[in-house]
Amino acid sequence: VYTTFMEELPKLTNGELTARHFGLEIVNLRNAVSSLESGIVDVANFLPSLAAADFPNSTLLAELAPIGHLGSAMSAAVMEYLVTCGDCQAEFARKGFVYTASVATPSYELLMGRKEVTKPEDLAGLRLRSPGTSYSIWISAMGAIPTEVTITEEYEALQGGLIDGTVAPLANLVGSRLLEVTKYYTAVPIGTYHATSSFTVRKATWDTLSPENRKALVDAAVTAVAKKEPAMRATGVKALEEFKAAGGQVVEPSPELLQATQDLESKVVAAAIELGKTRYNIPDAEEKVNHFVELVNKWNEIIEPIQDDPAAIADAVRAEVWAKVDLETYGK
């Protein structure tokens, strides 16, 4: 996604703006906030949930993972929400940041190490790696045990039997080489990871840019985000073929498992409202959560017919979100 951003930025500014990429040995998800604050980088990817105390309103969206089905729709919904949410904008402003765009993943699904899962009762008592609270709700509802394992420890945890399975996008079969330590894939959509701030700009940098160059930066970020999720799904399709070639088995979920997953969505919304009030101290959490759900429904309709067309996705985001923003005052 940053490769695309770096290619687009000079093209959109006639070479006036360029970008140089630093690797994870310098800036990673854990130190992205401090790296932006100190000026080591001008733009960075960070997860609000890793700084939830400073970004409660932005982090709240992470609690709604199970309502996500189309990654590009979730990405667009997050962008429209964060750009127009006054409390979210204030969180970024207090840290000296400017929000521009969010990447979302395709839906996470079920990858099992040694046991085939077709129905809810097959999951009883099994330990599954959970990427976050909202996924833990699904895991617990199915009778399994949510287990905190970092993505870097996931491979070894599956290999050693610490966990029985994991909730992950198909692309991770090759990206994290999970095809080497999993045997069964159950095609049950568990939700997207979408609560990101993929191109967070240091305000001191943003303030030096003309409105034209701010627009170019936003356009480059939107283009990069629009390409990411379709590419990740395509990688997942190829990964699944490699998984099957390595002996992995594709398991069809039972109607009961699919229905139980669908029924859980309304409970997740209620749980997010409660967490918004109690964990994140957001008095109007119900209004915010319901508004985000409305945006998800809106963007599902927009994205579904164009989900494999990155250019059309980017154009829709520009028209529905950024065309309504005054970039001369945005970020101030």
Side-chain angles (χ1 to χ4, degrees):
V1 71
Y2 266 78
T3 300
T4 301
F5 177 76
M6 290 186 292
E7 291 170 351
E8 291 292 315
L9 196 57
K11 288 194 292 186
L12 293 171
T13 62
N14 294 317
E16 192 172 336
L17 291 183
T18 60
R20 181 163 60 100
H21 185 237
F22 290 152
L24 295 176
E25 70 281 1
I26 297 175
V27 182
N28 52 55
L29 290 174
R30 292 289 178 186
N31 68 12
V33 170
S34 61
S35 297
L36 282 165
E37 287 179 316
S38 64
I40 291 176
V41 290
D42 299 296
V43 183
N45 173 38
F46 93 97
L47 304 181
S49 59
L50 295 181
D54 292 318
F55 294 90
N57 286 276
S58 307
T59 302
L60 178 61
L61 304 186
E63 306 297 344
L64 291 157
I67 72 170
H69 301 292
L70 299 174
S72 293
M74 298 305 291
S75 172
V78 171
M79 284 189 272
E80 182 168 357
Y81 183 89
L82 292 182
V83 166
T84 58
C85 166
D87 290 335
C88 305
Q89 288 288 312
E91 290 171 356
F92 280 83
R94 281 193 290 270
K95 296 297 285 185
F97 300 164
V98 177
Y99 169 83
T100 62
S102 295
V103 165
T105 68
S107 184
Y108 279 44
E109 298 180 89
L110 189 60
L111 298 172
M112 301 300 299
R114 300 175 180 86
K115 183 175 179 181
E116 178 178 335
V117 170
T118 60
K119 50 192 183 297
E121 47 265 40
D122 292 337
L123 286 162
L126 299 184
R127 297 172 63 87
L128 301 183
R129 186 245 170 184
S130 171
T133 304
S134 54
Y135 297 98
S136 296
I137 292 173
W138 181 89
I139 293 169
S140 297
M142 299 304 144
I145 303 167
T147 307
E148 290 188 14
V149 174
T150 68
I151 194 167
T152 55
E153 299 167 332
E154 186 177 30
Y155 183 101
E156 290 185 357
L158 281 161
Q159 186 180 49
L162 176 64
I163 54 176
D164 299 291
T166 184
V167 174
L170 280 178
N172 286 20
L173 283 168
V174 292
S176 301
R177 301 306 298 172
L178 295 185
L179 61 82
E180 299 173 355
V181 288
T182 56
K183 186 175 180 181
Y184 300 102
Y185 154 61
T186 304
V188 55
I190 302 171
T192 55
Y193 199 105
H194 53 257
T196 66
S197 179
S198 305
F199 291 93
T200 316
V201 185
R202 190 168 179 252
K203 187 177 184 298
T205 302
W206 180 265
D207 288 344
T208 67
L209 303 180
S210 66
E212 294 75 21
N213 280 348
R214 290 177 184 175
K215 181 179 183 303
L217 188 152
V218 168
D219 281 348
V222 168
T223 296
V225 166
K227 286 185 176 182
K228 175 62 178 176
E229 194 272 344
M232 195 172 179
R233 275 189 289 111
T235 298
V237 171
K238 293 179 181 177
L240 189 56
E241 292 305 311
E242 191 173 335
F243 172 73
K244 290 190 288 187
Q249 297 183 33
V250 177
V251 179
E252 288 299 320
S254 68
E256 292 79 11
L257 182 57
L258 291 173
Q259 188 62 51
T261 300
Q262 185 177 338
D263 291 344
L264 197 62
E265 289 186 22
S266 59
K267 296 179 182 178
V268 166
V269 171
I273 292 171
E274 182 62 22
L275 285 171
K277 294 175 180 178
T278 58
R279 177 182 296 176
Y280 301 117
N281 298 313
I282 301 172
D284 58 344
E286 184 171 4
E287 180 183 341
K288 284 185 165 72
V289 168
N290 288 335
H291 176 53
F292 182 67
V293 172
E294 290 172 1
L295 288 176
V296 170
N297 293 334
K298 165 190 168 177
W299 280 103
N300 280 338
E301 291 185 11
I302 294 172
I303 294 296
E304 187 171 9
I306 60 172
Q307 62 179 305
D308 295 317
D309 186 343
I313 294 169
D315 286 344
V317 171
R318 292 186 186 103
E320 289 289 325
V321 181
W322 289 105
K324 303 171 185 178
V325 175
D326 180 358
L327 288 173
E328 188 164 350
T329 58
Y330 181 78
K332 292 185 178 181

